[in-house]
Amino acid sequence: MIPARKRHTVVIVGAGAAGALTAVQLCETAARRRVPLDLVLVDPAPEAGRGTAYATPDPRHRLNVPASGMSCYPDDPGHFTRWLCRHGEPAVKGADFATRYRYGAYLADTLAQAIVRAHGTVAVRRLRTRAQSCTGTPDGGVEFQLANGRGLRADSGVLATGPAAARSDWAPPGLRTSDRFVRSPWAPGALDGPLADTAEVLLVGTGLTAVDLALSLDRPGRTVHAVSRGGLLPQPHAIGPVAAMAAPDGLDAPSLSALRRTVYRHIGRALRTQGDWRPALDSLRPHTARLWRGLTPEERAAFLEREGALWNTHRHRMAPATAEAVARARTARRLRVHAGAVTDAAVQDDGSVLVALSNGQDIQAGWIIDCTGPGARPEDPLWRSLFDTGAAVPGPLGMGVTTRDGRLLDAEGRGERPLFTLGAARRGELWETTAIPEIRGQAAALAEELLAPLSAPRRVVRRRPVDGHGLPLSTRAEAAAAYRTGLDRVLKVRAGAEDAFRRAVVLDPGFALGHAALALLGHECGADVDVPRALADAQRSARERADERERSFVDVVTRRVHGDCADGGAAALLGHLDAHPADALALAAAVPTIAFSGINDLDDAYALRLVERTSPAYDGHWFHTSLLAFLRQEQGRFHEAAELAHRALAAEPASGHAVHALAHVHYESGAYEAGRDWLDAWVSGQGRGAVHRAHFSWHIALHELALDDPAAVRKRWFAQLAPGRVTGVRALVDSGSLLWRARLSDSWRGQVPAADVLETVAREVVERPATAFTALHAAVALAAAGDLAALRRLRDHAADADPVQREVIVPLCEAFGALVEERFPEAARGLNALLPVLRKVGGSAAQREVVEETLLYALVAAGRCDAARRLLDARLGRGAAPRDRRLLAALPG
């Protein structure tokens, strides 16, 4: 009998941003590694994730980092941006600056989702109280004494208490005791009451806290004064994107003075070459902690004295909208900024305070607010108890606490207690440690530190579960069964694959192949999957628990999602199949069929060799036979393709790949009536469970279109392809393209409802598609709807996308735009030039034929009837379609 694993208990003190990020990483890492964990969050706040920074509901208070830099996950930078898109801000971009309150909601929601996903492995409790002290226990753990009088024992603790409270030691004694002095402006109700009617307010400090308060307090008839020693406000972020710069050589300078010269030369170079200092400063960010550690204590003190304020105002910037609001207030003289220090303060008879500044100015204010920012080191009761007992000591220059990789050290430099911290408390050690990008990295490292000793050693497993083709799976039996179901449904082109793969990763969050399969379905098939999140989960899981084949497949999917299949991605996939020919999901992804778009630049001959080379691994399996049938019809060997398709269907009547091959055989060989009747019968029977049933209906409609039966086309469109019956990418690829082809051949009278199709597709998919194949069909649908503005946005996206989109989709959008504007000769020239390279977008010849039909329409509209006749003759040579005969007969002369 295997003994039950002991549950480890971790207490996180503080449930603000740092605590929430740590809890997210602990939940997900423990679930992935199957480590039983009890997690306790101790914080009196009503909601986790907000802390002080993200509790403000004022919409004028914005983050000072763009959304692209605020993800909870170091390996998924777009996570916050996608969350905003899903929660009421569909047009948001990574360069936008969200409100602080929205970010607090994001932290809370991400933590809640992590807790749900980890349920069964991680048990989470919230205690709405404070930790007052912490002592060691005989068994090497820690015990916290809580404000409610109870004790809380744990195996380890994380102190995520956030920035220290301001000490206000700059304030003269008379001011400290005045009821007109606000020490903690973010405390609930601190700015309510009499302050609302005060005409003059003094903010001591000119950093980001002062900026936010100045915006909150700004109103007609009031003057807000802000004073600091240098009188410097934070610099604004650039309004538009700026080009990144590499860090300069010479950062490992032997002294502060040499480092200073290197940095200033680097900034000067940025100003000369880009007209902006920001890229130079941003390039230092990955090196800041290392540079800080390399300075002597004396050099650190000198830096703080000379460059500290200058660094902070340029490094921690205002959002552009915030900077604009501040500029308006200063122009109107409602905000006045002063350089100086408070030297004296006297309470007047009317209750106001007369404040004397070191620059000789006197300011009479109704209220004085401390905006000097956090104190040098934490001073709450918990930290004081640790300092008093020697379990913690102040950090360098009295800033934060002394740590080694986040572990608290005592005066002897030992970390005897399992106590850790992150964020502001590590300022003395790291200097830059209060921004989300730094804190999320520390949280991930802490989760690794805490859970690494608890992860069970890898046992040699003599027999692992396998997929449907005998390949071992690094997961438990239940998750493997769900994965096999998903794989079977993908290979049959049946509905339910996404649900099966999702069930597999719920059963085993560390199952790399399950996450990778979801990412592939989301990227290629428009499944409702957060692709970057699934991909990041796959990569983490592959690093922790996967064999060589599984890691190789995750790498293949990563390259595919990132759009580099035109170079290393294709080579990686083909290399993977050379090493693992029985990996059916990889083979399905490589060969362009109905399920996946395949490798863009894989020609028919190479694809055929690939399928033939992998044949021994399948021993006549119906899936492999179906792929071979599809490739034979691409070669024009229709009789052989039909035989192979029927053989596959005899073994598996639900094989969507075989049906798809047969549909092409009928269409390409001109057997339109037989194809229509056979496919219509299959769709009504075995095809009812097909995930791409709409695509099979599209094939039937192509037969009807070729037979010049507009009434049947229209009837089928409304019955099986209209919006509501088909949505998403499938609507774009099938419904939209059919409408356009029907319109081009005069088979649809009146305006085509292309706009209705576009309404069922996410705008991001239409205007920022992930693949060239989707982009082609987005351009078709937008042309059908006459949406020139969206066509231009699609063109601009393609210009910055993968090489195939740049080569094919950019000129395609321009040609379609010319067609919409009735510049027919230009449209015809552009479309004709694209025919030789069109196959790079993937998909089938029947799908890419929409461009040829658009060219035919443009030629006729441009009066180039001879060229149109030659094109129609070539088409009739491939198959005598009644529609093409009608179009040929209608050509003048």
Side-chain angles (χ1 to χ4, degrees):
M1 181 175 178
I2 300 174
R5 296 175 64 182
K6 177 182 177 294
R7 296 186 72 86
H8 191 85
T9 300
V10 176
V11 169
I12 300 176
V13 179
L21 289 169
T22 304
V24 167
Q25 292 292 337
L26 283 169
C27 284
E28 297 195 352
T29 306
R32 207 166 51 244
R33 299 182 183 180
R34 309 175 192 169
V35 176
L37 185 68
D38 289 327
L39 186 59
V40 186
L41 280 76
V42 179
D43 193 306
E47 185 179 7
R50 293 200 178 277
T52 299
Y54 309 116
T56 168
D58 192 329
R60 291 167 293 191
H61 296 169
R62 294 193 169 270
L63 299 172
N64 64 309
V65 175
S68 60
M70 295 296 287
S71 168
C72 285
Y73 300 99
D75 54 359
D76 185 5
H79 189 257
F80 177 46
T81 308
R82 297 195 306 277
W83 184 91
L84 288 170
C85 289
R86 293 194 304 269
H87 290 80
E89 300 183 45
V92 73
K93 297 181 177 62
D96 294 341
F97 293 79
T99 65
R100 293 184 177 276
Y101 195 79
R102 290 286 279 164
Y103 189 69
Y106 163 69
L107 287 174
D109 185 57
T110 303
L111 174 57
Q113 294 298 322
I115 292 171
V116 169
R117 287 193 297 270
H119 180 70
T121 302
V122 182
V124 181
R125 286 189 294 154
R126 275 279 320 270
L127 299 180
R128 290 187 57 188
T129 184
R130 296 184 184 278
Q132 301 284 69
S133 65
C134 181
T135 56
T137 62
D139 60 356
V142 289
E143 183 170 8
F144 293 91
Q145 293 299 318
L146 307 180
N148 61 13
R150 300 179 63 183
L152 179 61
R153 293 176 72 103
D155 296 290
S156 54
V158 177
L159 309 185
T161 51
R167 299 183 62 181
S168 303
D169 49 6
W170 55 267
L175 181 58
R176 292 187 209 177
T177 58
S178 171
D179 60 0
R180 295 303 181 102
F181 181 46
V182 179
R183 291 172 176 266
S184 303
W186 299 123
L191 304 183
D192 298 339
L195 181 58
D197 299 321
T198 304
E200 301 276 333
V201 178
L202 173 63
L203 310 179
V204 180
T206 56
L208 292 169
T209 297
V211 167
D212 281 346
L213 287 173
L215 295 182
S216 291
L217 297 169
D218 182 36
R219 65 202 59 186
R222 168 179 286 167
T223 301
V224 177
H225 300 270
V227 61
S228 67
R229 187 172 61 175
L232 299 174
L233 288 171
Q235 291 291 311
H237 279 279
I239 294 177
V242 293
M245 285 186 73
D249 296 330
L251 287 180
D252 295 315
S255 66
L256 175 61
S257 58
L259 177 61
R260 183 182 288 125
R261 289 193 296 272
T262 296
V263 170
Y264 277 111
R265 281 198 300 268
H266 184 52
I267 292 172
R269 185 161 52 249
L271 286 169
R272 289 193 303 274
T273 59
Q274 299 195 33
D276 196 336
W277 50 265
R278 294 172 183 84
L281 201 65
D282 292 343
S283 72
L284 302 177
R285 185 166 188 170
H287 309 278
T288 304
R290 177 175 60 83
L291 297 177
W292 179 256
R293 284 194 296 266
L295 299 177
T296 66
E298 294 76 18
E299 287 174 329
R300 292 181 185 180
F303 170 80
L304 292 176
E305 177 66 25
R306 178 171 166 179
E307 276 97 12
L310 194 63
W311 173 271
N312 284 330
T313 56
H314 286 74
R315 169 68 184 80
H316 303 288
R317 303 168 205 150
M318 295 184 281
T322 301
E324 183 180 347
V326 167
R328 286 198 302 268
R330 294 189 74 179
T331 300
R333 303 289 289 170
R334 297 193 306 273
L335 173 62
R336 302 182 185 184
V337 181
H338 311 276
V342 174
T343 57
D344 195 13
V347 178
Q348 306 298 293
D349 292 340
D350 62 357
S352 63
V353 182
L354 184 65
V355 179
L357 303 181
S358 59
N359 62 10
Q361 286 181 277
D362 289 335
I363 297 175
Q364 188 167 345
W367 292 85
I368 294 86
I369 304 175
D370 188 349
C371 300
T372 54
R377 69 177 192 180
E379 296 286 351
D380 61 75
L382 172 60
W383 281 106
R384 282 201 301 270
S385 78
L386 294 170
F387 289 136
D388 291 344
T389 60
V393 294
L397 303 180
M399 297 190 302
V401 297
T402 300
T403 65
R404 181 185 301 120
D405 297 328
R407 189 174 190 128
L408 267 60
L409 302 180
D410 58 21
E412 303 298 324
R414 298 171 301 186
E416 295 188 341
R417 293 182 187 173
L419 281 175
F420 301 82
T421 191
L422 73 165
R426 297 183 66 185
R427 188 164 177 250
E429 175 193 2
L430 302 175
W431 174 238
E432 285 287 333
T433 182
T434 58
I436 291 297
E438 282 76 30
I439 295 174
R440 72 187 179 200
Q442 294 171 30
L446 266 184
E448 179 68 30
E449 173 82 11
L450 291 169
L451 296 178
L454 308 176
S455 300
R458 292 186 179 180
R459 296 180 297 166
V460 177
V461 181
R462 294 185 178 179
R463 186 173 182 180
R464 287 187 288 164
V466 296
D467 69 5
H469 298 270
L471 297 178
L473 301 173
S474 298
T475 187
R476 62 186 70 177
E478 299 87 348
Y483 180 82
R484 284 193 296 272
T485 298
L487 178 60
D488 182 67
R489 290 182 180 278
V490 168
L491 302 186
K492 290 178 181 175
V493 198
R494 305 290 284 181
E498 175 191 341
D499 292 338
F501 289 138
R502 210 182 292 279
R503 187 165 65 255
V505 298
V506 167
L507 290 166
D508 181 5
F511 183 23
L513 280 189
H515 291 297
L518 279 172
L520 187 62
L521 288 189
H523 176 71
E524 290 274 330
C525 308
D528 185 18
V529 175
D530 187 342
V531 174
R533 182 82 246 114
L535 191 58
D537 287 335
Q539 291 165 341
R540 285 201 207 109
S541 301
R543 287 193 296 269
E544 294 175 357
R545 171 167 46 93
D547 63 19
E548 185 278 330
R549 175 187 74 92
E550 293 165 323
R551 289 193 298 272
S552 174
F553 184 77
V554 170
D555 178 62
V556 164
V557 176
T558 300
R559 292 172 182 271
R560 197 173 185 89
V561 169
H562 289 166
D564 57 356
C565 273
D567 41 47
L573 178 51
L574 296 173
H576 175 86
L577 284 166
D578 281 340
H580 310 285
D583 194 333
L585 188 55
L587 184 61
V591 180
T593 61
I594 187 172
F596 301 106
S597 60
I599 298 176
N600 291 336
D601 55 356
L602 190 65
D603 61 40
D604 293 340
Y606 197 103
L608 182 61
R609 288 198 300 274
L610 174 63
V611 173
E612 290 173 338
R613 193 169 67 241
T614 56
S615 179
Y618 292 88
D619 192 25
H621 190 275
W622 57 263
F623 165 66
H624 193 272
T625 304
S626 300
L627 291 187
L628 189 57
F630 184 83
L631 292 174
R632 290 298 186 211
Q633 67 81 25
E634 288 274 292
Q635 289 181 295
R637 295 161 65 172
F638 301 124
H639 180 71
E640 186 178 351
E643 285 188 351
L644 288 167
H646 283 299
R647 187 190 309 167
L649 286 167
E652 177 48 71
S655 173
H657 286 295
V659 174
H660 190 221
L662 205 52
H664 278 275
V665 166
H666 287 137
Y667 184 74
E668 300 294 347
S669 63
Y672 304 119
E673 291 184 358
R676 176 197 61 195
D677 296 342
W678 185 90
L679 193 52
D680 202 13
W682 185 86
V683 167
S684 302
Q686 286 284 349
R688 287 184 177 180
V691 68
H692 296 311
R693 191 165 183 243
H695 187 65
F696 294 118
S697 296
W698 174 82
H699 267 286
I700 303 171
L702 278 194
H703 291 312
E704 293 166 339
L705 204 59
L707 290 168
D708 212 16
D709 189 350
V713 172
R714 195 179 186 98
K715 180 180 178 181
R716 189 165 303 276
W717 194 88
F718 282 110
Q720 298 174 351
L721 290 162
R725 301 183 181 280
V726 188
T727 59
V729 173
R730 198 76 265 168
L732 203 63
V733 171
D734 295 325
S735 308
S737 68
L738 179 65
L739 281 177
W740 182 242
R741 293 168 84 145
R743 174 185 162 185
L744 293 175
S745 60
D746 294 328
S747 298
W748 191 286
R749 300 298 180 186
Q751 185 176 3
V752 294
D756 296 341
V757 172
L758 289 167
E759 285 181 4
T760 73
V761 190
R763 208 68 190 163
E764 182 176 2
V765 173
V766 175
E767 297 183 9
R768 297 190 293 276
T771 67
F773 178 75
T774 304
L776 164 66
H777 288 88
V780 167
L782 291 171
D787 193 340
L788 278 171
L791 259 177
R792 294 187 182 108
R793 290 193 292 270
L794 174 60
R795 177 201 61 194
D796 293 343
H797 160 79
D800 293 325
D802 59 81
V804 177
Q805 292 204 50
R806 291 197 296 271
E807 180 183 1
V808 180
I809 303 305
V810 169
L812 183 74
C813 288
E814 291 171 348
F816 275 141
L819 191 77
V820 172
E821 293 182 322
E822 299 185 357
R823 293 181 281 116
F824 299 117
E826 183 180 338
R829 284 194 301 272
L831 292 169
N832 189 61
L834 282 172
L835 293 183
V837 297
L838 195 59
R839 66 166 297 109
K840 292 185 179 183
V841 303
S844 67
Q847 287 171 316
R848 298 190 298 269
E849 191 180 50
V850 67
V851 177
E852 183 182 83
E853 294 185 356
T854 308
L855 170 61
L856 176 62
Y857 178 86
L859 289 171
V860 173
R864 295 179 55 190
C865 295
D866 289 343
R869 186 174 289 104
R870 288 193 296 272
L871 182 55
L872 280 168
D873 284 339
R875 288 168 61 89
L876 286 166
R878 299 196 298 264
R883 174 203 52 194
D884 287 347
R885 287 201 298 266
R886 172 176 60 82
L887 293 175
L888 182 63
L891 288 176

